[in-house]
Amino acid sequence: MKTKLIPATDGAEIEYAAAAAAEIIKSGGLAALPTETVYGLGANALDERAVSKIFAAKGRPQDNPLIVHVNGMKMAEKILGEVPVVAYRLCEMFWPGPLTLIMKKGAEIPDAVTCGLDTVGVRMPDNPVFLETITKAGVPIAAPSANTSGKPSPTSAQHVMDDLSGKIDVVIDGGSCRVGIESTVLDISKEVPVILRPGAVTLDDLQKVIPVVSVAKSVLSGVTEKEAPLSPGMKYTHYSPEAEIVLVSGSDEEFAKFISSAEEEAVVVCYDEDVSRISRPYFAMGKKEDYAAQAAEIFSILREIDKTKAKKAYVRAPSIKGVGLALYNRLIRAASFNIIFLKD
Ligand code: TXA
Ligand code: MG
């Protein structure tokens, strides 16, 4: 299969691209679409066969459920069994945007989407071509990140082509993704809402709308066998480039000292402020306190590391404040939980 690449940056292009993507979705094909977080690999969420193609193209484990994308609460209501009142408050605040809500599913959503769970993740992406595609297709679109399973999520159309060219019908090129890491996943199907995956909608943001929110233990650590069914996506190897990633936690001085004595061949991922003290190949992920900038860069950097053929990368462990928590959650997985704590 030859994968078509269609640009969608201005008004006329967006119309054309959405019409083309909608045709493919309606006929049971796969279309990669930009969102504000990362690129998604979309299929008609109501078509079991189309959904199974997503798993095949990505090499995705069969027990990791997909997020369903909608163009608003009205479409969400049609595919849900129960809509808790709190969902309306959260949507009003954060949709369209990087917040996925886990709720009880309705009968229309096939098991292929939820991997047999009785809940489904729903979100309204903040991207004109994706929203227009949903509207033109007239169906909700199931879409995981459009990467080969285990690889960093794609934040550009080129990343998607690098992983999936020849395996999917079309990639809609809407430019780089603004947020750069996947949505916050919040489970509101139980009594106390739980963050299963942190993202750009932070714990602080959520607490302004719903005062009691907990954070799943798996966010900062590995997943135990007992927790795995609650948060299926968190148990797999994730975001991994070929190079071995090692997180390094310490002060500016400790970090610079560690790097100056580390193996010759290793590359470094650091803050902009560290650059002047580092005399080896590096990737700067943004200013130290600018967590949003770091998040926007990180997946692209993880892919760039592989182009250098480096065997190892020392990555400065980010702060866990605000959006930093989401970045830390992705990096600790990219590093297979390998972290060095420096002390003088
Ligand atoms: O920003 C995003 O969320 C992107 C864009 C494309 O929308 N999508 C995305 O999808 O990151 P994916 O499939 O790569 O990650 C979905 C995560 C997985 O960790 C999955 O296990 C979890 O959401 N998930 C989906 N449905 C769930 C459910 N019913 N219960 C618990 N976790 C669920
Ligand atoms: Mg993913």
Side-chain angles (χ1 to χ4, degrees):
M1 172 188 305
K2 181 153 167 42
T3 302
K4 259 172 85 178
L5 184 63
I6 302 180
T9 38
D10 64 24
E13 279 182 358
I14 287 174
E15 270 300 303
Y16 175 83
E23 275 314 307
I24 286 165
I25 298 286
K26 279 194 289 186
S27 63
L30 299 183
L33 292 155
T35 83
E36 79 283 24
T37 59
V38 301
Y39 276 72
L41 180 58
N44 178 355
L46 308 180
D47 178 346
E48 184 133 29
R49 272 191 56 191
V51 168
S52 71
K53 290 184 192 167
I54 293 179
F55 287 84
K58 279 181 60 93
R60 184 176 176 101
Q62 296 290 341
D63 61 351
N64 193 5
L66 308 178
I67 293 174
V68 176
H69 297 70
V70 294
N71 60 2
M73 200 49 183
K74 239 172 110 182
M75 186 181 262
E77 283 169 341
K78 285 197 200 139
I79 56 166
L80 292 168
E82 233 169 74
V83 187
V85 184
V86 69
Y88 293 95
R89 298 219 305 272
L90 289 165
C91 295
E92 200 164 301
M93 269 309 266
F94 301 111
W95 279 11
L99 177 66
T100 296
L101 298 174
I102 307 284
M103 294 174 269
K104 289 271 181 279
K105 86 177 194 75
E108 255 196 298
I109 292 291
D111 276 346
V113 169
T114 61
C115 303
L117 296 177
D118 64 350
T119 54
V120 61
V122 184
R123 105 171 177 98
M124 180 184 183
D126 187 12
N127 180 283
V129 75
F130 203 134
L131 290 175
E132 190 57 26
T133 303
I134 298 172
T135 301
K136 282 187 157 56
V139 291
I141 295 180
S145 50
N147 51 285
T148 298
S149 225
K151 291 284 161 213
S153 295
T155 53
S156 72
Q158 187 57 50
H159 294 163
V160 181
M161 287 302 264
D162 290 346
D163 280 14
L164 299 176
S165 181
K167 297 183 175 169
I168 65 177
D169 298 284
V170 70
V171 177
I172 305 300
D173 185 354
S176 310
C177 301
R178 174 171 55 81
V179 175
I181 43 172
E182 312 85 341
S183 61
T184 304
V185 176
L186 181 71
D187 187 346
I188 53 169
S189 70
K190 318 255 154 47
E191 205 133 298
V192 176
V194 188
I195 295 177
L196 299 180
R197 180 177 73 182
V201 172
T202 64
L203 178 62
D204 272 2
D205 296 335
L206 292 169
Q207 280 171 334
K208 288 185 189 123
V209 184
I210 35 170
V212 186
V213 186
S214 72
V215 179
K217 234 174 62 210
S218 57
V219 163
L220 288 175
S221 60
V223 177
T224 62
E225 281 297 313
K226 214 177 118 223
E227 290 161 336
L230 295 177
S231 189
M234 285 295 156
K235 72 179 179 209
Y236 293 106
T237 308
H238 259 95
Y239 321 114
S240 312
E242 300 297 324
E244 179 191 356
I245 302 290
V246 181
L247 282 194
V248 182
S249 174
S251 68
D252 297 347
E253 291 69 32
E254 285 161 352
F255 183 73
K257 200 168 135 201
F258 173 83
I259 293 302
S260 67
S261 61
E263 301 97 309
E264 278 301 310
E265 319 79 58
V267 298
V268 175
V269 181
C270 59
Y271 299 133
D272 293 358
E273 293 90 336
D274 294 323
V275 164
S276 62
R277 304 199 216 188
I278 286 171
S279 52
R280 65 169 71 227
Y282 68 83
F283 296 91
M285 55 182 163
K287 291 223 163 65
K288 192 174 180 178
E289 309 276 329
D290 192 348
Y291 313 130
Q294 295 160 27
E297 284 305 313
I298 198 64
F299 285 143
S300 189
I301 290 176
L302 291 180
R303 283 173 181 263
E304 288 299 316
I305 288 171
D306 279 345
K307 291 194 189 145
T308 70
K309 304 269 182 262
K311 296 256 177 325
K312 196 170 198 172
Y314 288 113
V315 180
R316 189 143 184 202
S319 160
I320 58 168
K321 285 189 213 149
V323 183
L325 180 66
L327 190 61
Y328 189 97
N329 167 269
R330 305 311 190 270
L331 283 172
I332 194 81
R333 285 174 167 74
S336 305
F337 297 93
N338 188 359
I339 180 163
I340 298 172
F341 291 96
L342 301 173
K343 266 217 184 90
D344 268 341

